[in-house]
Amino acid sequence: MSTTSSDPLAALGALPGVPDAVDSVRKAVDRVYGHRVMRRRSNEVTAEAALRGARGSAALSGADWNLEEVRRRTDFSGDGEARVIGAALRLTAEAGQLLSIWRQSPLRVLARLHLVAAGGATPDDAVGRPRLAGEPVDEPLIEAPLPGADEVAGRLEGLSGLILSGSAAPALVTAAVVHGELLALRPFGSSNGLVARTAERIVLIGSGLDPKSICPAEVGHAEQGRAAYVAAFEGYLAGTPEGMAAWIAHCARSAELGARESTAVCEALQRGAA
């Protein structure tokens, strides 16, 4: 990501089409929060959104399980897909606990997220730290060239600085950039997609756009499909105004679809069919 503005995130927020996408997401989120079910049963909606978000994120990482199977299972220590589902569930549960740390040290949060995702599946000395030169990365969905370790370290510091310095940009834009940059860097040896999507969730919660975490963008990313996800991400990698706008619009649509999913949950709870 690059831009000449003193507030690069705000500059991205002004790209053609982005303000409309941001406005559409805000309206969708407001509709969910205004639902009558949210007055008394918001905790249930939050819990269901977390489950569905984890399922969606895992699907993008190659474990596309039926929601009811995710809900039913208690042991995720089996094969590779089960471990991916377990990692996604752990990350979703962890996200809300890291908001205050994120505002002070985003890099500490990213390290913690990788530790949670790895769950013992990665050698201990590689867990919770950016990869070193020559270390492999297991991220089959993203086939873009892998930045070197020095570039990763520098860009992570730059991303942290952007977050800590604050921006006038809408939360959605910041969340999309955090997500895209982590996918581009793949800073860890494993679980980078899961970590990137969790970081997006943390930004959306911590910004106040979705404080109760009831609009899981991961659902929307999965609903749009892996091919659309990769195609939009290629726009981010290109770094052109058109490419960046396309990635932000994709993330906006994902958040909007997540809001729609939780609206359906509210309707089901209202009917007594939860």
Side-chain angles (χ1 to χ4, degrees), residues 179-202:
H179 183 169
E181 191 70 354
L182 291 174
L183 277 186
L185 296 178
R186 282 148 290 162
F188 303 111
S190 61
S191 304
N192 290 287
L194 294 174
V195 168
R197 291 184 289 274
T198 305
E200 178 186 45
R201 172 184 282 265
I202 288 172

Side-chain angles (χ1 to χ4, degrees), residues 202-220:
I202 288 172
V203 174
L204 295 176
I205 299 169
S207 67
L209 177 63
D210 182 20
K212 294 186 177 181
S213 191
I214 60 171
C215 300
E218 305 96 321
V219 168

Side-chain angles (χ1 to χ4, degrees), residues 22-32:
V22 169
D23 185 57
S24 184
V25 171
R26 168 55 70 186
K27 289 177 179 176
V29 172
D30 286 347
R31 280 194 293 271
V32 183

